[in-house]
Amino acid sequence: MSKEEMIWDLSQLVESTEPAFIQKTLDSMMNEIKKIREQYRGKIESLDAKGVLYLLELRDALRLRFEGVVNYCFLMYAANSTDDVAKQLNEAARRAMMNVNQAIAFVDLELGKLLAAKPALVKDAVLSEYRHYLERLVRRVPHMLSETEEQLVIVKDKNGINAWEQLQSDWLSTRMFQIEVDGETKTLSYGAIIGFYQSPNRDLRKRAYQTVYEGLGKDDIVWASAVRAVCEDHTRMCQMRKWPTPMTQSLIDNDVDEQAINSLMKTIEKNAGIYQRYLRLKAKLMNLPKLANYDLVAPLPKAPSATYSWTDSRREVTAAYQEFDEQFGSWIDEMYTRRHLDGEIRKGKTSGAFCSSWLAGKSAYILQSFNGRIMDVYTQAHELGHAIHDYLLSRTQKPSNCEVGSCAAETGSIFGELLLTERLLKSSKTNEEKQAILAIILDEFGMAAFQVSSRVFLEKKIYDSIKEGKFLDGEAIAKLWVEARTKLCGDAVDWLDCMKWEWTKTPHYYMANYRFYNYPYVFAQLYVYALYRLYKEEGKSFTPKLKTLLSAGSSKSPRELATELGYDIASEEFWQKAMKQAEEFLNMLEATFSG
Ligand SMILES: [Zn+2]
């Protein structure tokens, strides 16, 4: 295997890789945006349907024209942040994008006003391709304030909720924790000590959690003040912006409705037993009478140490997609052949993994650090699922319709993980192999569906308590958290007492103007499990449905899309399909103990 195979070829993104050429292209992007601004600023409210179409197509065309150059700069830096040219180009692209976004922000604002005055435009046949994009703008209009008020909000947020958010993040990242490792006392930051959560050494894991949360609990005044300020501010803004519930803003952002989310969360609550059954099985896999909180994300003691070469991984992942659909298989193959994946481990490379779409090239680029573990093969399958989404989107949609919200953005990727699971299970030879595979996906399902749901329940409780006029100090929030956690885990987990402070570190509770950011993870996970279940039930006739769904991008809401395919995501029946699938994996895992 040549090493080159694992290094991506970014040169396809640009006409020339000369830094001077790149810089010049970034400058010309800014000039083009300036032209649009001069031509349209303050004039959008007088446009007719054709005029709106022309403007939106112009903006989309510019995005496609400069996408390659901007991606080139960002991706080059992600692959090696120690490279001087990459540093310089990344900075240039970052600055250019900030300026562009600022300069073009008036378009959506003015369009919103135009549509409020002339709502018929949304349904105008001329604008049919942009219909849902415009509908989403319209949905925001009733909640916008006057220009002066909006300016005041920005000023108040800067030293208000934004400052609280910053304080929480700064406070957390500057805490230091002392822990003994192999007879040596180490003083570690939060980011460093949480690395021990996945240690095979159980005692070390326990001490890591204990040290962190006993430490964080001492500052409960800071965390509780921040949560209170951010949430109470949101409550006031709901009144001012006429959002009927604290969740409305997030529902609009995620292009979903309350009915669907309520059914989703009810399904989670009703099926907590499935999760508890898994937790008890996991205890058995770890040879423990019961799981403690510090075992939840721990590795299995008997997991096989099989390693995969890049070639093995490519073969397995391509075949998994190929078995689902020929075209998917050939696109995946193209990703490898054209070297759109960067798997090499190198200094200065961004940690984690991501897929960056390249709409103009009707393709995508993927970054990961490939260690040859089974988890790396899963990551590859996941990111390639995002790439498949991009292949479909870029062939059917305008760029404005490629902004898939977080509820549906993981559809291709998690579906791909399930396809890989199917393939790996088929070829696994021992019970230990099967257990390792099933534990990977059930761990992920348990985390995304159930653990994250307890955060949704906590957030809801916080707003209910504020509404009832209760004062939320640290102990009060901790009590709500323990209740939310118990609702789903029951008595299947032994929690260290200090784990009542677990909410203190979760950034989602503190994010200014970004409320209810947890349920999209739950949605995404169950949505894909339900779709996968339908695939199992319907067989090959399901394949074109998944393609239609992915190809639609953000041109329709997830609910509308599902309805067209004959599924009702506002019903609990739909979400229950997901639970059926999870239960099937659970049954398979259970069978490995008797068989
Ligand atoms: Zn993803």
Side-chain angles (χ1 to χ4, degrees):
M1 176 187 63
S2 78
K3 205 148 191 201
E4 201 180 50
E5 252 184 85
M6 295 174 71
I7 304 171
W8 61 17
D9 170 18
L10 296 178
S11 68
Q12 296 162 38
L13 289 164
V14 285
E15 280 166 57
S16 157
T17 56
E18 259 317 300
F21 169 83
I22 307 272
Q23 185 60 57
K24 223 176 82 196
T25 313
L26 289 174
D27 293 342
S28 65
M29 168 168 75
M30 198 55 219
N31 288 335
E32 294 295 327
I33 296 295
K34 268 190 201 143
K35 274 191 225 158
I36 296 191
R37 197 174 155 84
E38 275 157 26
Q39 197 184 341
Y40 283 99
R41 164 109 193 178
K43 295 177 193 131
I44 292 180
E45 284 180 76
S46 58
L47 293 179
D48 61 5
K50 276 197 184 128
V52 172
L53 179 69
Y54 187 81
L55 169 63
L56 290 174
E57 285 188 330
L58 186 66
R59 192 179 60 173
D60 274 347
L62 279 184
R63 180 166 161 195
L64 287 182
R65 198 168 126 201
F66 294 104
E67 186 197 28
V69 146
V70 173
N71 282 1
Y72 179 81
C73 299
F74 289 151
L75 296 181
M76 194 180 169
Y77 183 73
N80 189 356
S81 63
T82 60
D83 181 88
D84 283 335
V85 178
K87 268 191 239 176
Q88 182 205 331
L89 291 181
N90 176 61
E91 189 48 34
R94 226 174 49 87
R95 212 175 321 120
M97 283 314 290
M98 199 182 74
N99 290 336
V100 162
N101 288 336
Q102 258 173 18
I104 201 96
F106 77 96
V107 172
D108 280 350
L109 283 175
E110 289 190 26
L111 259 181
K113 285 183 194 158
L114 167 66
L115 297 170
K118 294 179 190 160
L121 272 179
V122 177
K123 294 214 160 62
D124 197 301
V126 170
L127 289 163
S128 62
E129 268 194 276
Y130 289 99
R131 181 186 55 90
H132 193 58
Y133 180 80
L134 299 175
E135 280 173 353
R136 293 184 71 184
L137 278 181
V138 168
R139 216 175 149 189
R140 294 176 193 278
V141 172
H143 309 292
M144 291 191 326
L145 305 172
S146 73
E147 214 170 327
T148 323
E149 286 169 328
E150 291 290 359
Q151 278 165 2
L152 272 174
V153 168
I154 293 171
V155 174
K156 116 178 135 63
D157 283 357
K158 186 172 176 294
N159 299 306
I161 49 175
N162 292 342
W164 282 109
E165 180 187 349
Q166 191 63 47
L167 175 69
Q168 189 269 344
S169 156
D170 290 347
W171 198 264
L172 184 63
S173 63
T174 49
R175 293 313 90 195
M176 296 307 280
F177 304 91
Q178 276 196 347
I179 188 162
E180 206 189 291
V181 187
D182 299 330
E184 198 189 319
T185 303
K186 294 190 172 186
T187 305
L188 300 170
S189 68
Y190 176 75
I193 194 171
I194 61 172
F196 294 123
Y197 290 178
Q198 279 173 323
S199 160
N201 178 339
R202 192 168 192 239
D203 175 62
L204 181 58
R205 293 202 300 268
K206 179 180 178 180
R207 285 186 292 111
Y209 276 97
Q210 210 149 23
T211 310
V212 166
Y213 287 104
E214 280 174 4
L216 295 183
K218 283 185 193 133
D219 296 328
D220 69 328
I221 274 200
V222 177
W223 316 117
S225 297
V227 165
R228 251 188 347 258
V230 173
C231 295
E232 283 181 11
D233 179 273
H234 182 62
T235 307
R236 292 308 299 251
M237 290 314 291
C238 285
Q239 291 162 1
M240 294 185 71
R241 290 193 183 276
K242 302 194 181 68
W243 286 318
T245 78
M247 218 195 250
T248 310
Q249 177 196 23
S250 139
L251 295 170
I252 295 176
D253 286 348
N254 290 310
D255 203 13
V256 288
D257 58 86
E258 201 155 10
Q259 205 189 351
I261 303 306
N262 284 343
S263 297
L264 168 72
M265 296 317 296
K266 260 191 222 146
T267 309
I268 289 284
E269 237 184 302
K270 277 190 192 159
N271 289 277
I274 290 183
Y275 185 45
Q276 292 165 24
R277 221 178 105 206
Y278 172 63
L279 293 172
R280 290 196 182 96
L281 264 188
K282 182 156 180 182
K284 222 162 142 184
L285 283 173
M286 298 187 74
N287 301 316
L288 298 167
K290 192 173 177 179
L291 285 188
N293 69 271
Y294 42 89
D295 301 317
L296 284 170
V297 294
L300 295 182
K302 279 189 296 187
S305 52
T307 52
Y308 294 79
S309 68
W310 186 257
T311 314
D312 295 337
S313 184
R314 174 175 177 169
R315 184 192 58 237
E316 292 304 313
V317 175
T318 312
Y321 280 97
Q322 179 86 30
E323 279 160 30
F324 178 74
D325 180 64
E326 288 278 331
Q327 193 180 42
F328 279 16
S330 72
W331 282 337
I332 298 282
D333 187 59
E334 181 184 296
M335 284 290 290
Y336 289 104
T337 310
R338 292 181 68 195
R339 286 176 44 219
H340 281 201
L341 288 94
D342 196 62
E344 192 194 39
I345 296 168
R346 73 176 76 86
K347 196 168 151 260
K349 182 169 172 173
T350 277
S351 63
F354 64 77
C355 174
S356 165
S357 52
W358 181 28
L359 300 174
K362 301 193 184 321
S363 182
Y365 276 89
I366 286 171
L367 176 141
Q368 76 169 132
S369 292
F370 188 83
N371 276 301
R373 298 165 313 153
I374 187 169
M375 278 315 290
D376 299 317
V377 184
Y378 264 95
T379 304
Q380 204 161 79
H382 179 100
E383 299 308 334
L384 281 163
H386 283 303
I388 288 291
H389 204 164
D390 291 328
Y391 270 78
L392 285 165
L393 276 178
S394 55
R395 282 164 174 75
T396 42
Q397 298 295 336
K398 307 237 182 214
S400 296
N401 290 333
C402 297
E403 314 265 326
V404 183
S406 39
C407 284
E410 298 298 327
T411 311
S413 56
I414 304 178
F415 203 90
E417 286 182 43
L418 293 177
L419 294 176
L420 178 68
T421 302
E422 199 176 308
R423 179 167 171 93
L424 293 181
L425 282 176
K426 251 189 243 159
S427 61
S428 63
K429 287 172 201 78
T430 64
N431 260 341
E432 280 75 20
E433 271 178 69
K434 273 202 181 74
Q435 287 171 349
I437 297 160
L438 289 164
I440 287 175
I441 50 161
L442 284 166
D443 263 347
E444 181 187 307
F445 186 80
M447 278 294 155
F450 292 100
Q451 294 285 346
V452 176
S453 285
S454 38
R455 297 190 204 158
V456 182
F457 293 132
L458 171 63
E459 198 166 3
K460 193 152 183 324
K461 278 280 180 200
I462 290 177
Y463 285 104
D464 289 347
S465 304
I466 291 175
K467 206 172 161 193
E468 290 159 17
K470 286 189 188 139
F471 181 76
L472 292 172
D473 60 10
E475 288 290 349
I477 301 174
K479 190 164 165 272
L480 295 178
W481 169 240
V482 171
E483 279 167 17
R485 190 179 78 186
T486 310
K487 198 147 122 174
L488 298 177
C489 296
D491 59 0
V493 180
D494 277 332
W495 301 86
L496 291 171
D497 194 39
C498 58
M499 293 307 294
K500 67 178 181 182
W501 300 118
E502 206 179 355
W503 55 274
T504 61
K505 58 94 175 97
T506 311
H508 294 101
Y509 302 125
Y510 307 92
M511 284 180 189
N513 296 318
Y514 219 44
R515 311 284 72 217
F516 284 96
Y517 186 72
N518 283 300
Y519 71 79
Y521 294 95
V522 186
F523 188 111
Q525 192 73 26
L526 266 71
Y527 191 55
V528 178
Y529 266 63
L531 292 175
Y532 183 74
R533 183 76 203 170
L534 290 160
Y535 163 52
K536 296 273 96 179
E537 288 174 7
E538 297 174 14
K540 279 287 164 199
S541 67
F542 177 81
T543 309
K545 293 188 188 173
L546 184 74
K547 284 180 158 177
T548 307
L549 200 108
L550 292 172
S551 302
S554 55
S555 70
K556 285 169 187 160
S557 74
R559 181 164 178 185
E560 199 181 346
L561 274 170
T563 307
E564 282 177 11
L565 296 175
Y567 313 129
D568 178 14
I569 67 164
S571 73
E572 284 179 48
E573 194 194 333
F574 173 81
W575 298 111
Q576 197 57 43
K577 294 259 176 215
M579 291 300 171
K580 259 235 128 66
Q581 184 56 48
E583 209 173 359
E584 190 175 305
F585 286 137
L586 196 53
N587 291 339
M588 287 161 92
L589 182 59
E590 214 153 51
T592 62
F593 285 94
S594 47

